[in-house]
Amino acid sequence: MGSDEQIDPLHQVTKYCGNITDYCQTYLKDLAYKEDKEEHYGKPMLWIGMYIALASLFCNLAMVADLLHGLRNRKLWFPCNYFTLNAASLTVIAVAIKLPNDLTNLMPSHVDRTAKLGSLSFMCTMMANLLPSLATLESKELVSNMIALGILVITLVVNVCIQINTGVLSYNTSEEHFKIEVGYTQLGVLLTGPKFIATIYVAMLLMLLIIYACSSLATLKTKQILESKYQAAHQTALKDLELPQKGRLTVEKLKQHVRNYWIMAGTGSPQFITVCSATTSASGVICLISTALHVYIIIPYHTKDMKEYDTDYKWSMLVILIIQFIGVILGTLAPISRCFAALSFKLSEKWIRNHIKVFNVESYWTQKLYDWKQRSIPIPFSSPSRRGKIVIENIKILFLSICIEFLETVVVACKMIAVIPLLFLICVSYCWKRLKAMFSSSRSVLVKNPEHQGKGDSLYVLQLEDDTEFAERTLKGISKSVNRLIQNAEKKQPNNLIKLLKGSRGFEGVEKFDSPLVPSLRSEEYVNCWSLPLVTLTAIAISFRNISKNTVDGLLSGQMVRKQAAKTREDSWTDSSMFEGHI
């Protein structure tokens, strides 16, 4: 076939079909024109695919950063420090999951279909990773971000359901597809087809969204419980510091005081409490199932299959598939590790018995709904009649009663799922104890040595349930972390302050500055103003005579207020009377 004949397919039609009418020729020309336009409009899709791959890469980097942060700080429950639920992360996630939201582009090849289904698995992984970050949000932020996430997930689910019904997901023109359909039974094709797999992903996304809603309601109440317990422990710590029989404040006493607050911060972290909940364990199991399903889809591929992509996204589909597959594998590590956060607690028979009782739902799960149930609805418009108010209140009570029953059902289901890693944990713990008893008979004596330290630390442990106890190794780990912090602080001496003091000849300015009219920095009434440390440092610097500006800058460079006080510090050298007026 010549080159001219390849370029002009309409000429071939008129050559071999001499009886073709003018109407048919016009219709074929319109088809050729539309096909040319569609090809022209599809050219930017390659760059859109790379945009999706870039957004997926950002999500991967954030999840990996949380993994590294948890390993570096020896927090194997991996708190959300970089990959958190906010407006920026939701925007990037919305771009990363554009493929499943595409309603019109057919996915005829293996890579195309797997990349679209892989985006659903990638979304499940990201949702499982983001769950603990709910505890870091304030009430208003929590509500707004949950609404945004709900709209995003529901939109994704609706679009996937539309594609399941229209056949966009299952469209395939390859000959191998027809050979497989002939060889399989109808049930086998159904269970291995894209429609069935997409349906499973839709169910998992809806389950994760429901888990998010339950965790949000529990977070609002658990924060209040932890805050009240923190205030009680705070008063205990202050009384222990100010006991008259303890004498002056020594370095060791100050270290113990810091250690007490470190224990309160570590055990009372809202993220840690959320990680230890049944909903987080259930989300980890769902994430693991999603990852296993995605691996099951990818494994049968050969090298030649990975080079087949027939959509307008072209080779960017392969890039999206690889990046999101890496994100799914790496992003599953944190949710799986959070399933075993129970290792932080003492595995006693009472603790195991309480967790096996899956039908026992704690009050903090539903307390917020009960509070809303007892409140009256503020009506902004003109007040209706008494009968209308009664109807509105009854509808509200009925709706919230249904929500409470549904929430309790979800919590029970999550506890049933959380029993799976719990049983595995019990088996591993039992085998480990047997091995220790076999190889070391004196191990139990060594464990009981620091018991006195555990009793003192237990006064400052914050926990939701009073009948649970933290494991001794958990408290040891917290104590070791604060000891490392103190040691690092001792190694980093305040060289700039030492240099300033060595260069001074007297403290006349400090003596003049020392006045009973100035409140002490340790006074109970703290001034909520960042300028107080700045004024104090400036007064010390001005009190010394013949001190260069660079030396004072060195003193202020080690303070956290340096950025905020930069402009004020520069003005102090032009008009030092300004600081005298503040003082």
Side-chain angles (χ1 to χ4, degrees), residues 367-386:
Q367 188 60 46
K368 206 65 183 179
L369 291 178
Y370 277 113
D371 294 341
W372 293 344
K373 187 177 178 180
Q374 295 175 358
R375 295 176 185 173
S376 60
I377 300 177
I379 303 176
F381 47 87
S382 59
S383 299
S385 61
R386 182 174 178 273

Side-chain angles (χ1 to χ4, degrees), residues 42 151 268 305 345 370:
I151 293 173
D305 297 331
F345 297 94
Y370 277 113

Side-chain angles (χ1 to χ4, degrees), residues 14 96 98 101 127 175 189 213 230 251 334 414 433 448 460 542:
T14 55
K98 184 186 180 300
N101 285 317
M127 289 184 69
E175 296 180 0
V189 173
Y230 168 77
V251 176
C414 290
K433 287 181 179 180
K448 293 181 181 180
Y460 304 98
I542 295 176

Side-chain angles (χ1 to χ4, degrees), residues 116-252:
K116 178 168 280 195
L117 294 174
S119 295
L120 297 176
S121 178
F122 190 55
M123 183 64 184
C124 292
T125 304
M126 289 188 292
M127 289 184 69
N129 275 271
L130 286 170
L131 184 59
S133 66
L134 294 176
T136 63
L137 302 176
E138 299 296 333
S139 298
K140 293 183 179 180
E141 294 177 341
L142 185 61
V143 172
S144 60
N145 286 318
M146 276 301 303
I147 292 174
L149 180 65
I151 293 173
L152 180 63
V153 173
I154 291 173
T155 303
L156 176 63
V157 167
V158 171
N159 289 339
V160 173
C161 291
I162 291 173
Q163 295 173 68
I164 291 173
N165 292 326
T166 57
V168 173
L169 279 172
S170 58
Y171 179 78
N172 197 336
T173 58
S174 62
E175 296 180 0
E176 295 180 359
H177 173 72
F178 296 106
K179 292 179 183 178
I180 291 174
E181 278 195 345
V182 172
Y184 280 175
T185 62
Q186 188 173 2
L187 179 61
V189 173
L190 176 63
L191 295 179
T192 58
K195 287 185 177 180
F196 181 73
I197 296 173
T199 304
I200 295 176
Y201 280 129
V202 165
M204 287 191 288
L205 286 171
L206 291 177
M207 290 174 63
L208 286 172
L209 184 60
I210 294 172
I211 287 174
Y212 263 72
C214 296
S215 300
S216 300
L217 293 173
T219 298
L220 295 174
K221 190 61 182 178
T222 54
K223 280 186 174 181
Q224 296 177 2
I225 297 174
L226 292 174
E227 179 64 24
S228 62
K229 291 190 174 184
Y230 168 77
Q231 293 297 335
H234 172 62
Q235 296 299 325
T236 303
L238 290 179
K239 291 179 181 178
D240 183 51
L241 185 66
E242 297 175 357
L243 285 178
Q245 63 268 23
K246 293 293 182 73
R248 294 183 59 186
L249 181 62
T250 61
V251 176
E252 291 299 326

Side-chain angles (χ1 to χ4, degrees), residues 62-118:
M63 289 188 288
V64 171
D66 281 337
L67 284 174
L68 297 177
H69 177 262
L71 292 173
R72 184 178 58 189
N73 293 277
R74 301 180 184 180
K75 295 181 179 179
L76 297 183
W77 51 276
F78 298 106
C80 294
N81 192 40
Y82 299 97
F83 194 48
T84 58
L85 189 66
N86 51 45
S89 61
L90 287 174
T91 304
V92 177
I93 290 171
V95 176
I97 60 171
K98 184 186 180 300
L99 285 181
N101 285 317
D102 195 342
L103 298 174
T104 55
N105 272 317
L106 298 176
M107 300 293 166
S109 69
H110 297 289
V111 173
D112 301 331
R113 288 191 303 276
T114 308
K116 178 168 280 195
L117 294 174

Side-chain angles (χ1 to χ4, degrees), residues 141-413:
E141 294 177 341
L142 185 61
V143 172
S144 60
N145 286 318
M146 276 301 303
I147 292 174
L149 180 65
I151 293 173
L152 180 63
V153 173
I154 291 173
T155 303
L156 176 63
V157 167
V158 171
N159 289 339
V160 173
C161 291
I162 291 173
Q163 295 173 68
I164 291 173
N165 292 326
T166 57
V168 173
L169 279 172
S170 58
Y171 179 78
N172 197 336
T173 58
S174 62
E175 296 180 0
E176 295 180 359
H177 173 72
F178 296 106
K179 292 179 183 178
I180 291 174
E181 278 195 345
V182 172
Y184 280 175
T185 62
Q186 188 173 2
L187 179 61
V189 173
L190 176 63
L191 295 179
T192 58
K195 287 185 177 180
F196 181 73
I197 296 173
T199 304
I200 295 176
Y201 280 129
V202 165
M204 287 191 288
L205 286 171
L206 291 177
M207 290 174 63
L208 286 172
L209 184 60
I210 294 172
I211 287 174
Y212 263 72
C214 296
S215 300
S216 300
L217 293 173
T219 298
L220 295 174
K221 190 61 182 178
T222 54
K223 280 186 174 181
Q224 296 177 2
I225 297 174
L226 292 174
E227 179 64 24
S228 62
K229 291 190 174 184
Y230 168 77
Q231 293 297 335
H234 172 62
Q235 296 299 325
T236 303
L238 290 179
K239 291 179 181 178
D240 183 51
L241 185 66
E242 297 175 357
L243 285 178
Q245 63 268 23
K246 293 293 182 73
R248 294 183 59 186
L249 181 62
T250 61
V251 176
E252 291 299 326
K253 189 175 180 181
L254 183 60
K255 287 182 179 180
Q256 183 61 39
H257 190 63
V258 173
R259 186 178 292 107
N260 294 338
Y261 279 95
W262 196 265
I263 291 174
M264 285 190 280
T267 58
S269 171
Q271 280 203 66
F272 178 70
I273 299 300
T274 303
V275 167
C276 295
S277 64
T279 51
T280 304
S281 298
S283 67
V285 174
I286 293 173
C287 179
L288 181 61
I289 296 173
S290 171
T291 303
L293 186 59
H294 190 37
V295 172
Y296 169 75
I297 298 171
I298 282 188
I299 280 178
Y301 283 174
H302 303 286
T303 307
K304 63 177 182 178
D305 297 331
M306 302 299 290
K307 298 180 181 178
E308 296 180 1
Y309 30 81
D310 299 332
T311 61
D312 293 332
Y313 293 99
K314 298 180 181 178
W315 53 267
S316 65
M317 294 294 289
L318 182 59
V319 178
I320 296 172
L321 175 60
I322 293 173
I323 291 177
Q324 292 189 352
F325 179 72
I326 294 173
V328 167
I329 298 298
L330 295 178
T332 309
L333 299 178
I336 292 177
S337 299
R338 291 166 186 163
C339 292
F340 303 102
L343 283 171
S344 302
F345 297 94
K346 187 178 181 180
L347 295 180
S348 60
E349 294 182 1
K350 185 177 181 181
W351 184 88
I352 295 173
R353 189 165 54 251
N354 290 337
H355 279 72
I356 292 179
K357 294 179 181 178
V358 294
F359 294 100
N360 183 22
V361 179
E362 292 79 5
S363 60
Y364 57 82
W365 291 103
T366 57
Q367 188 60 46
K368 206 65 183 179
L369 291 178
Y370 277 113
D371 294 341
W372 293 344
K373 187 177 178 180
Q374 295 175 358
R375 295 176 185 173
S376 60
I377 300 177
I379 303 176
F381 47 87
S382 59
S383 299
S385 61
R386 182 174 178 273
R387 181 175 296 178
K389 290 181 180 180
I390 294 174
V391 171
I392 293 174
E393 283 295 323
N394 290 335
I395 293 174
K396 181 205 73 172
I397 292 173
L398 178 62
F399 175 74
L400 290 177
S401 299
I402 295 173
C403 290
I404 290 171
E405 295 295 330
F406 180 73
L407 190 147
E408 290 179 348
T409 304
V410 172
V411 173
V412 170

